[in-house]
Amino acid sequence: MSVEDCIFCKMVAGQIPATKIYEDEVVLSFLDIGPISDGHTLVIPKQHFEKLHECPAELLGQVFTRIGKIAGAIATAMDSDGYNLLCNNGKAAGQLVKHLHFHIVPRSIGDGIFNRWPSFKYEEGKIEEVAAAIRKNL
Ligand code: AMP
Ligand code: ZN
């Protein structure tokens, strides 16, 4: 997918509408059009990158400076009991829009969102194997 076809780049360019929360030279933040809860917000770097690890570290730092402030404002405005910060990367992880974005999802006690968290236990010895494989790539 080219940047020209990207709906979030089109939002940055002002070619399609967005309910904006915050905008500066680095990020655009707007309400998700298909929210999981009231105030569900997206924060995107204005520059197009598909996945988290493709975004330069310095830019990520700048994005996260903004995310903290925006999340605090959302939590206060929505009087939420908490919020989740989500970043879906790749099709298997549920990424539909291929422009890096962070979801801020306000939560309230007992709302039932993300109720299923299918955790399991590693088989004997596997946790060290997995950790070693990841470390090798850092
Ligand atoms: P993801 O599955 O992480 O790629 O999430 C993409 C999100 O973008 C979904 O939650 C959509 O509801 C949201 N979305 C898609 N198009 C728009 C739009 N035009 N305005 C606001 N949010 C959008
Ligand atoms: Zn884009």
Side-chain angles (χ1 to χ4, degrees):
M1 188 204 65
S2 70
V3 173
E4 290 77 49
D5 299 327
C6 172
I7 54 164
F8 287 177
C9 282
K10 284 185 178 153
M11 259 181 210
V12 170
Q15 290 162 359
I16 59 170
T19 308
K20 293 181 187 179
I21 296 293
Y22 178 80
E23 181 173 19
D24 63 19
E25 70 285 5
V26 179
V27 301
L28 176 63
S29 179
F30 50 92
L31 288 184
D32 193 303
I33 209 174
I36 310 183
S37 62
D38 281 346
H40 179 172
T41 296
L42 300 179
V43 182
I44 66 169
K46 284 191 163 177
Q47 208 180 336
H48 182 97
F49 297 97
E50 185 173 331
K51 296 196 176 89
L52 182 67
H53 64 276
E54 293 164 355
C55 183
E58 194 186 327
L59 177 56
L60 262 189
Q62 292 176 326
V63 172
F64 265 85
T65 307
R66 276 83 172 169
I67 284 181
K69 194 174 172 199
I70 295 165
I74 294 167
T76 302
M78 295 294 108
D79 196 22
S80 61
D81 298 321
Y83 55 87
N84 293 102
L85 177 64
L86 293 173
C87 179
N88 300 327
N89 289 269
K91 201 173 168 188
Q95 184 177 16
L96 298 174
V97 178
K98 293 180 174 176
H99 181 129
L100 175 62
H101 55 279
F102 298 90
H103 296 255
I104 300 166
V105 182
R107 300 293 306 276
S108 45
I109 301 286
D111 62 16
I113 299 170
F114 309 128
N115 256 356
R116 207 177 93 79
W117 190 265
S119 63
F120 64 93
K121 294 222 179 329
Y122 282 113
E123 283 166 28
E124 184 79 29
K126 191 168 174 194
I127 195 165
E128 271 312 322
E129 271 173 43
V130 171
I134 298 169
R135 278 188 222 115
K136 251 194 342 210
N137 286 282
L138 282 169

mmCIF file of all heavy atoms in Angstrom, residues 3 6 8-9 48 98-99, ligand 2:
data_model
loop_
_atom_site.group_PDB
_atom_site.id
_atom_site.type_symbol
_atom_site.label_atom_id
_atom_site.label_comp_id
_atom_site.label_asym_id
_atom_site.label_seq_id
_atom_site.Cartn_x
_atom_site.Cartn_y
_atom_site.Cartn_z
ATOM 1 N N VAL A 3 1.688 5.396 0.329
ATOM 2 C CA VAL A 3 1.285 6.476 1.224
ATOM 3 C C VAL A 3 0.067 7.208 0.647
ATOM 4 O O VAL A 3 -0.810 7.657 1.391
ATOM 5 C CB VAL A 3 2.479 7.436 1.444
ATOM 6 C CG1 VAL A 3 2.060 8.654 2.236
ATOM 7 C CG2 VAL A 3 3.619 6.716 2.149
ATOM 8 N N CYS A 6 -3.181 5.818 1.805
ATOM 9 C CA CYS A 6 -3.323 5.648 3.256
ATOM 10 C C CYS A 6 -4.351 6.641 3.812
ATOM 11 O O CYS A 6 -4.192 7.859 3.683
ATOM 12 C CB CYS A 6 -1.958 5.849 3.913
ATOM 13 S SG CYS A 6 -2.044 5.896 5.705
ATOM 14 N N PHE A 8 -4.970 7.479 6.864
ATOM 15 C CA PHE A 8 -4.465 8.347 7.934
ATOM 16 C C PHE A 8 -3.570 9.453 7.357
ATOM 17 O O PHE A 8 -3.588 10.584 7.857
ATOM 18 C CB PHE A 8 -3.746 7.528 9.013
ATOM 19 C CG PHE A 8 -4.674 6.719 9.888
ATOM 20 C CD1 PHE A 8 -4.169 5.872 10.875
ATOM 21 C CD2 PHE A 8 -6.067 6.801 9.754
ATOM 22 C CE1 PHE A 8 -5.018 5.123 11.698
ATOM 23 C CE2 PHE A 8 -6.923 6.056 10.565
ATOM 24 C CZ PHE A 8 -6.391 5.212 11.531
ATOM 25 N N CYS A 9 -2.815 9.148 6.299
ATOM 26 C CA CYS A 9 -2.045 10.207 5.625
ATOM 27 C C CYS A 9 -3.011 11.231 5.022
ATOM 28 O O CYS A 9 -2.733 12.435 5.039
ATOM 29 C CB CYS A 9 -1.141 9.628 4.538
ATOM 30 S SG CYS A 9 0.364 8.867 5.196
ATOM 31 N N HIS A 48 4.473 8.758 7.723
ATOM 32 C CA HIS A 48 3.956 7.399 7.512
ATOM 33 C C HIS A 48 5.001 6.319 7.796
ATOM 34 O O HIS A 48 6.024 6.242 7.122
ATOM 35 C CB HIS A 48 3.452 7.247 6.068
ATOM 36 C CG HIS A 48 2.867 5.896 5.789
ATOM 37 N ND1 HIS A 48 1.512 5.644 5.835
ATOM 38 C CD2 HIS A 48 3.454 4.714 5.491
ATOM 39 C CE1 HIS A 48 1.301 4.372 5.564
ATOM 40 N NE2 HIS A 48 2.464 3.787 5.346
ATOM 41 N N LYS A 98 -2.702 0.530 7.811
ATOM 42 C CA LYS A 98 -1.253 0.298 7.794
ATOM 43 C C LYS A 98 -0.454 1.594 7.958
ATOM 44 O O LYS A 98 0.480 1.863 7.205
ATOM 45 C CB LYS A 98 -0.872 -0.436 6.504
ATOM 46 C CG LYS A 98 -1.424 -1.844 6.456
ATOM 47 C CD LYS A 98 -1.038 -2.528 5.166
ATOM 48 C CE LYS A 98 -1.477 -3.991 5.188
ATOM 49 N NZ LYS A 98 -1.191 -4.635 3.915
ATOM 50 N N HIS A 99 -0.860 2.389 8.888
ATOM 51 C CA HIS A 99 -0.133 3.597 9.300
ATOM 52 C C HIS A 99 -0.053 3.496 10.820
ATOM 53 O O HIS A 99 -1.109 3.447 11.478
ATOM 54 C CB HIS A 99 -0.904 4.846 8.834
ATOM 55 C CG HIS A 99 -0.259 6.161 9.168
ATOM 56 N ND1 HIS A 99 -0.053 7.158 8.229
ATOM 57 C CD2 HIS A 99 0.190 6.664 10.335
ATOM 58 C CE1 HIS A 99 0.522 8.215 8.798
ATOM 59 N NE2 HIS A 99 0.666 7.939 10.078
HETATM 60 ZN ZN ZN B 2 -0.047 6.874 6.181
#
